[in-house]
Amino acid sequence: MKRIGWATKAAALLGAICMTLGFAACGAGNDSQPQSSGNGGNAKQSAKGPINVVASINQWGTLAKEIGGPDVKVTSIVNTVSVDAHDFEPQTADMAKLQTAEIVVVNGAGYDSWASKSIVKGATSVSAASAVGASTGDNPHLWFSKDARRATATELEDVFAKARPAKAKQFEARLKIWKASETKLEDSMKTFAQKHKDATYGATEPVAYYLMDDLGFDDKTPKGYTQAVSSEGEPAPSDLQKFQHLISGRDVNLLINNTQEANNTTNLLTGTAGRTEVPVVDVSEQMPQNQTTLTGWITALMKSIDKAMADFKASEADHQKVGAPGNSGQSSQPAESGNGASSNQQPSTSNGSVPSNEGQTDPGK
């Protein structure tokens, strides 16, 4: 979860925009607290037309579209899986969109501070982190949390209704429809958890932590490894070795792989999973272009996870663990090198599939 400095560049861009729009319009928004809409500024620009909504990332932008319908015009700045929001550096055009928005939708929790700190006075901000009570330092991938989705959808309906009181009933009706879809998804999650009790997983990066928790999974990823990648560091060789043994010993049912954080370490882990037929489920941070709604995307991911569980069970007969006394938790598979430095080791699979990150480059480097 690499984050590089954007503050200097953003400040320069903001300064240039301020000279154009007027310094009075260039107040900085708080990263976690939403600003209330004032009587002037952007809130008056199109009071009788569609609300000009700018979302920092497409996950929340699509949700704003669902709640707002034709009564909002939504622009999502980070709108492709080829861009890592952790490393995103806004351009002049991006800053201009934020400066002219009537309502800005951000993730918060330090994920998109470049947007949170560029909200002008008079605009309204909706922060998913504020809606659910998260803060910087918490896992920021909040769109995968059912609680955060519900809280943010409710907040969106409220601010939209305040911005266009004449459309309040329409916003309320759309929220009701969305909640029905979300409830159906959450019911499916409960059914999944009941079907797959004691399910376990490992993750190359904790992007889907909330989703896996909602599905009832137990995260077996070594804590040292998770702490290292979450703080933008390299995992210690011992933690990488533990993770490799966890996978090669089939002590996890599947491996969650963040395709937007590909590097030699993730290639090594997905390659280990391929050789021992531990299913790899690819998860991106930004919503893929073939998905149009947040609930629809998560439903598709849940189906992939369900299939992975079935694939793991189907391959059990070919990977029997040593059952002799004293060998509990050990694998019949040969142990991986524990130095974590096998960069010349090409990941391969025994089931014919290609490791998820093989041939990819790290978009954040």
Side-chain angles (χ1 to χ4, degrees):
M1 289 169 38
K2 178 183 175 186
R3 299 183 183 86
I4 59 179
W6 49 264
T8 301
K9 183 175 181 179
L13 293 172
L14 181 59
I17 293 171
C18 285
M19 294 180 67
T20 302
L21 300 179
F23 286 98
C26 294
N30 185 282
D31 184 53
S32 59
Q33 296 299 326
Q35 294 181 336
S36 60
S37 177
N39 293 325
N42 296 344
K44 294 177 65 177
Q45 288 182 359
S46 53
K48 294 184 179 180
I51 305 171
N52 180 18
V53 180
V54 176
S56 60
I57 55 179
N58 65 352
Q59 297 94 309
W60 298 121
T62 56
L63 182 58
K65 287 180 182 179
E66 285 194 82
I67 306 301
D71 298 311
V72 299
K73 179 183 178 182
V74 180
T75 300
S76 296
I77 294 179
V78 180
N79 197 31
T80 173
V81 296
S82 64
V83 176
D84 183 354
H86 292 294
D87 301 331
F88 182 72
E89 292 190 24
Q91 303 300 309
T92 303
D94 300 321
M95 299 295 288
K97 291 173 185 176
L98 289 167
Q99 297 294 323
T100 58
E102 184 174 348
I103 294 175
V104 178
V105 185
V106 299
N107 184 77
Y111 188 78
D112 48 3
S113 297
W114 52 269
S116 301
K117 295 181 178 179
S118 303
I119 301 170
V120 300
K121 183 178 180 180
T124 299
S125 74
V126 174
S127 166
S130 293
V132 80
S135 59
T136 301
D138 293 331
N139 188 310
H141 307 104
L142 297 168
W143 53 92
F144 285 129
S145 164
K146 59 182 177 62
D147 295 330
R149 290 193 299 274
R150 280 190 175 271
T152 304
T154 301
E155 181 72 10
L156 286 168
E157 186 272 337
D158 181 64
V159 298
F160 289 167
K162 289 178 179 177
R164 299 292 186 275
K167 300 288 187 176
K169 290 185 178 180
Q170 287 92 323
F171 295 130
E172 182 181 3
R174 293 187 198 106
L175 177 62
K176 184 177 181 179
I177 293 173
W178 179 86
K179 283 184 175 179
S181 177
E182 175 68 17
T183 297
K184 181 178 179 180
L185 170 60
E186 292 175 17
D187 288 343
S188 296
M189 288 181 168
K190 292 178 182 178
T191 300
F192 179 98
Q194 293 171 353
K195 176 182 177 182
H196 300 290
K197 294 182 178 180
D198 302 319
T200 61
Y201 79 103
T204 62
E205 198 263 357
V207 61
Y209 172 81
Y210 295 116
L211 172 60
M212 302 306 284
D213 186 63
D214 288 342
L215 289 171
F217 275 84
D218 183 14
D219 184 2
K220 294 293 187 180
T221 310
K223 291 183 179 180
Y225 175 94
T226 299
Q227 291 172 351
V229 298
S230 296
S231 60
E232 308 165 25
E234 294 292 333
S238 59
D239 289 322
L240 183 56
Q241 181 185 34
K242 289 178 183 177
F243 204 173
Q244 286 181 272
H245 286 179
L246 190 76
I247 298 170
S248 63
R250 288 173 57 87
D251 292 318
V252 290
N253 298 129
L254 56 88
L255 178 68
I256 295 293
N257 173 50
N258 184 352
T259 57
Q260 292 184 251
E261 294 287 346
N263 52 49
N264 289 337
T265 297
T266 61
N267 286 341
L268 184 62
L269 294 171
T270 56
T272 301
R275 286 188 295 277
T276 52
E277 294 188 285
V278 171
V280 176
V281 177
D282 288 333
V283 179
S284 60
E285 297 198 25
Q286 272 54 63
M287 184 182 297
Q289 291 184 348
N290 65 342
Q291 296 295 332
T292 58
T293 67
L294 189 54
T295 52
W297 177 34
I298 295 172
T299 298
L301 285 174
M302 190 178 70
K303 290 180 179 179
S304 296
I305 293 169
D306 191 39
K307 181 180 182 302
M309 292 294 293
D311 289 345
F312 181 88
K313 184 176 182 179
S315 64
E316 281 183 326
D318 296 328
H319 297 273
Q320 295 297 325
K321 294 183 180 180
V322 176
N327 286 336
S328 177
Q330 295 184 14
S331 169
S332 58
Q333 299 295 324
E336 300 286 342
S337 173
N339 58 14
S342 51
S343 58
N344 61 345
Q345 181 179 357
Q346 295 299 317
S348 61
T349 64
S350 59
N351 59 3
S353 64
V354 179
S356 305
N357 286 349
E358 186 172 12
Q360 295 186 21
T361 58
D362 185 353
K365 295 183 179 178

